[in-house]
């Protein structure tokens, strides 16, 4: 019963993160009727992913199994949004009948980005719980601080506008070079921050594992 409540809490938390990301993207893309279907897809996918991770954690022999399952779920989310039919059907629900190709891309981003956030939250918490139950070292090398900073920096009106302007590179946009430079510099800084955090976490993990090893028996004189 405690396990059921734990996984339910993980599901709720991952849904909150996914919906917050979806709302930011919907506001940026000025989503209309199609956003109702996006909100219907995300809980279904999040529920399915936590069920898969729950089954995997019950049968996993190592934490690597959970890593592979989470990577497979992330790949599945990306594959589902590029399959013909589904995302395009949602995009056609938009009030604007023009630019269906662009709207399809926007809907795909509104689905896959929150879904990936949900999987990331679920994987981190399920893996943490799995390791704690077995008494193993639960410090992950994943750069969680960098992930949070990146989410806050990107998923806000200013960050999304900078990224959109950098990708669009419209000739009528006089600030296109500035936005491109700022965007690339910010992404490079996040990558560097993530690598540094990954290295620091790896050092901390090795040190903890070293300290937890039993001392060698003294040689008899």
């Amino acid at each position: 019963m405690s396990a059921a409540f734990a996984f339910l809490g993980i599901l709720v938390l991952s849904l909150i993160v996914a919906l917050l990301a979806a709302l930011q993207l919907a506001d940026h893309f000025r989503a209309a009727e199609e956003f109702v279907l996006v909100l219907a897809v995300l809980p279904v996918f999040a529920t399915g992913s936590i069920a898969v991770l729950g089954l995997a954690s019950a049968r996993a022999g190592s934490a690597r199994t959970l890593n592979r399952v989470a990577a497979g779920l992330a790949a599945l989310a990306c594959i589902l949004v590029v399959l013909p039919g589904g995302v395009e059907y949602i995009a056609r629900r938009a009030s604007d009948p023009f630019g269906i190709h662009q709207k399809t891309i926007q809907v795909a981003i509104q689905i896959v980005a929150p879904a990936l956030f949900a999987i990331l939250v679920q994987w981190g918490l399920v893996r943490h719980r799995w390791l704690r139950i077995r008494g193993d070292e639960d410090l992950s090398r994943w750069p969680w601080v960098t992930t949070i900073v990146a989410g806050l920096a990107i998923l806000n009106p200013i960050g999304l506008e900078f990224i959109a302007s950098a990708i669009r590179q419209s000739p009528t946009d006089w600030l296109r070079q500035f936005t491109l430079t700022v965007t690339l510099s910010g992404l490079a800084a996040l990558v560097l921050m993530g690598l540094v955090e990954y290295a620091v976490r790896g050092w901390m993990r090795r040190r903890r594992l070293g300290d937890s090893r039993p001392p060698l028996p003294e040689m008899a004189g």
Side-chain angles (χ1 to χ4, degrees), residues 23-34:
L23 287 171
Q24 287 291 343
L25 292 170
D27 179 67
H28 175 73
F29 291 130
R30 295 178 174 85
E33 288 86 351
E34 75 277 11

Side-chain angles (χ1 to χ4, degrees), residues 7-8 10-11 45-55 73 122 126:
F7 282 103
L8 180 60
I10 294 173
L11 172 61
F45 186 85
T47 303
S49 63
I50 192 62
V52 172
L53 283 170
L55 291 174
L73 289 171
Q122 292 177 1
V126 170

Side-chain angles (χ1 to χ4, degrees), residues 118-138:
I119 294 171
L120 183 61
V121 172
Q122 292 177 1
W123 164 73
L125 294 177
V126 170
R127 181 180 180 277
H128 178 80
R129 181 179 182 275
W130 188 90
L131 291 171
R132 288 292 297 270
I133 291 176
R134 284 154 182 79
D136 295 334
E137 173 56 51
D138 57 358

